[in-house]
Amino acid sequence: MLNIALPKGRLGETVYDLFERAGFDCPSIREKSRKLIFENEKTGVRFFWVKPSDVPIYVERGAADLGVAGKDIILEYAPDVYELLDLGLGKCRMAVAAKKDFHDENTKTLRVATKFPNIASTYYEGIGRDIDIIKLNGSIELAPILGLSDVIVDIVETGTTLRENDLEVKANILPISARLIANKSSFRFAADEIGAITEKMKELVKTDD
Ligand code: PRP
C-alpha cells in the first residue's frame, strides 16, 4: 500500500482528481464525511488529508511515501525529501506587498510580517536589506494596515485580498505551484510504484498544459 498525504482543501481535491485520472482512484474519498483516511486495495493506495503545511513532515518522516505540497511550503520548511514533479496546480506567487503610498526609503530596518520567515529572510538577504521579521499565522494583510509592519511577504493568487484591503504588490519573489514529493527511502524501496505514478502524472500534466 502506498501512503499518500494530500493537502486538505481546494488544492487537495484537484490533486486527488489528478491521481484518479492517473489510475490511482479511491472512490470512498468522494463521500462527504469527516474521515481522514481512505484506501483502495485494488489500486494499492491509501490517501489521507493533512493540513497543507504538515505534508512535508509526514513525507520526510515516512508516515507518507508520497505527498503534495506547495513550493512555498517546501522552501519554507526545507524538508529532506525528493521533489519529483511540478504538478502545475495551485499556481500563485510569493510577493512583497504594502500600502499603496509606502516607499521603502531604506533608512531604517524594514518591518516584514509573514507566515514565511525563511523565504522572507532569504529574499531580503539577497538584496542586502536589513529586516525585522514579524511572524504571523494568518490574515497577514492586516499588519501594514494597522501599522504592525511596513510590508508583508505573502502569497498572492487572484490579488483580491490585496485589492480589497488597499494594498499592492511591490515586488515579486517567486512563482509557486504544487509539487509531488517523495520520502527518500520509499523512493528507493517502492521505486516501481512511485515511478509508475510519477510517469502517469507527468503525462497528464503535460497534456493539461
Ligand atoms: C492566502 C494568502 C492571502 C490570500 C491570497 O490566505 O495569505 O491572504 O490567500 O489570495 P488572493 O490573492 O486570491 O486573494 P489564506 O486564504 O490561506 O488565509 P490566511 O489568512 O489564513 O493566510
Side-chain angles (χ1 to χ4, degrees), residues 39 43 62 68 80 82 109 112 114 117 131 134 167 170 172 195:
E39 65 181 55
T43 48
V68 173
D80 189 19
Y82 291 131
T109 304
V112 181
T114 187
I131 59 162
I134 300 159
L167 302 174
K170 299 290 182 182
N172 285 308

Side-chain angles (χ1 to χ4, degrees), residues 32-208:
K32 222 176 142 40
S33 80
R34 300 283 292 174
K35 268 182 67 169
L36 296 172
I37 304 191
F38 306 87
E39 65 181 55
N40 184 352
E41 275 180 33
K42 258 201 287 186
T43 48
V45 286
R46 181 189 290 128
F47 290 103
F48 39 93
W49 294 122
V50 168
K51 190 177 154 94
S53 54
D54 287 342
V55 169
I57 302 172
Y58 281 81
V59 176
E60 182 177 57
R61 291 177 173 266
D65 303 297
L66 288 175
V68 173
K71 186 69 180 171
D72 51 331
I73 287 161
I74 297 172
L75 287 171
E76 184 60 30
Y77 299 99
D80 189 19
V81 298
Y82 291 131
E83 194 181 308
L84 302 181
L85 186 63
D86 182 348
L87 299 177
L89 301 171
K91 284 190 181 168
C92 52
R93 58 195 159 125
M94 187 65 68
V96 178
K99 280 161 73 171
K100 290 180 180 155
D101 60 4
F102 175 78
H103 300 285
D104 185 4
E105 308 294 353
N106 215 337
T107 48
K108 51 182 185 335
T109 304
L110 186 71
R111 295 168 308 150
V112 181
T114 187
K115 269 195 285 195
F116 303 95
N118 291 327
I119 293 176
S121 304
T122 306
Y123 170 71
Y124 281 107
E125 240 171 69
I127 59 171
R129 181 71 173 99
D130 251 1
I131 59 162
D132 177 15
I133 295 266
I134 300 159
K135 165 82 168 67
L136 296 177
N137 299 299
S139 301
I140 315 295
E141 291 82 1
L142 275 175
I145 297 170
L146 299 177
L148 177 63
S149 75
D150 302 308
V151 302
I152 61 174
V153 165
D154 200 16
I155 282 168
V156 179
E157 191 181 350
T158 60
T160 310
T161 313
L162 291 181
R163 220 168 19 249
E164 294 192 354
N165 290 287
D166 291 321
L167 302 174
E168 69 182 15
V169 169
K170 299 290 182 182
N172 285 308
I173 300 183
L174 48 99
I176 307 285
S177 57
R179 309 296 162 103
L180 180 66
I181 58 174
N183 171 268
K184 286 190 165 177
S185 68
S186 306
F187 186 74
R188 203 161 340 117
F189 294 112
D192 291 350
E193 295 93 319
I194 291 179
I197 291 189
T198 310
E199 278 313 308
K200 203 76 232 272
M201 288 181 106
K202 200 184 281 178
E203 277 168 33
L204 290 171
V205 168
K206 218 190 297 167
T207 44
D208 284 355

